[in-house]
Amino acid sequence: MAQHTPPAKRGRKRAVGEDEVVAAAIRLLGARGADAVSIRGIAAELGLAPNAVYTYFPDRAAVVGAVVEHLLGESDLAALTRRDTPWRDRIHTLANDLRVRLLAHPGAVNLLLSGPMDGPNALALGEALLAVLADAGLDPTEAARASYLLIVQVLGAIALEAAELPTPQPAPPITERIATRRENLRAVPADHYPRTAEAADTIAQFVSDEQYTWGLDRVLDGIEARANN
């Protein structure tokens, strides 16, 4: 009588969670840039079928939202809540932290600007910023308007800076980037663009720490003037 051979056991499907999907998306962002962050790309990174990713995220936009939430969650919101620190210093600390973190992954800036920032971490950031501006003396309406102005200034400055960077590699040293900009500006014909040629050294430093701080301070000067009225 022939012996019955039991069927071979199937290997277990590899289980993943939302955090692992987001981590894979961030790895792709760092290795290949924002365009690589897709459902199929993430599935391949994890060695899974795309349906496994769809279990947690219905589409790419949802994944992007989760990545943005993760990046914003890395920001040091505690810096905004230190009531023993002047309000302007608190905003500077947050702005500098965001710039460092986002420029470490230039493609992340495109993701931040590709959809609404309305997740829990984004809301926590907005809430903390409103509290700082209340400490500055603004009423709720002025604080809300000022918070939007600050977000536009900070993210806009970072986005313009990131647009010049080779993705997905981290940003080269600022001195190197300034030197490259200065060299490119030398090619601008001074007879056609005399004011640009005259301001070339200043324009070359638009990606510098000093320019970033200067722009933020001009916005804060205006906010402070409104608070003191």
Side-chain angles (χ1 to χ4, degrees), residues 206-229:
F206 280 176
V207 295
S208 67
D209 296 340
E210 291 78 9
Q211 174 65 34
Y212 185 72
T213 300
W214 186 92
L216 182 58
D217 273 330
R218 299 295 75 75
V219 172
L220 294 178
D221 288 344
I223 290 172
E224 189 166 21
R226 297 284 294 185
N228 291 333
N229 282 342

Side-chain angles (χ1 to χ4, degrees), residues 102-125:
L102 292 178
L103 291 183
H105 301 287
V109 183
N110 291 332
L111 293 185
L112 271 173
L113 300 178
S114 67
M117 292 186 291
D118 54 5
N121 289 335
L123 290 172
L125 173 61

Side-chain angles (χ1 to χ4, degrees), residues 50-127:
N51 284 346
V53 179
Y54 284 120
T55 300
Y56 300 100
F57 297 99
D59 50 32
R60 180 181 185 273
V63 176
V64 168
V67 170
V68 169
E69 271 289 285
H70 178 87
L71 294 172
L72 291 177
E74 292 182 334
S75 299
D76 183 15
L77 291 188
L80 287 179
T81 61
R82 297 188 182 108
R83 303 291 293 275
D84 58 341
T85 302
W87 68 272
R88 289 180 67 130
D89 291 347
R90 286 183 262 166
I91 290 175
H92 268 288
T93 298
L94 175 69
N96 290 331
D97 179 66
L98 282 172
R99 182 170 176 241
V100 169
R101 291 182 185 279
L102 292 178
L103 291 183
H105 301 287
V109 183
N110 291 332
L111 293 185
L112 271 173
L113 300 178
S114 67
M117 292 186 291
D118 54 5
N121 289 335
L123 290 172
L125 173 61
E127 184 73 12

Side-chain angles (χ1 to χ4, degrees), residues 185-203:
L185 284 163
R186 284 177 183 159
V188 175
D191 54 338
H192 284 86
Y193 309 101
R195 295 183 186 276
T196 300
E198 183 181 20
D201 283 342
T202 301
I203 296 171

Side-chain angles (χ1 to χ4, degrees), residues 6 11-12 14 28 33 37 45 50-52 62 72 91 95 100 107 128 130 157 166 184 213:
R12 289 185 178 181
R14 187 178 167 216
L28 286 173
V37 181
E45 174 73 12
N51 284 346
L72 291 177
I91 290 175
V100 169
L130 289 171
N184 291 337
T213 300

Side-chain angles (χ1 to χ4, degrees), residues 3-10:
Q3 287 186 333
H4 175 70
T5 304
K9 291 183 179 180
R10 293 182 179 179

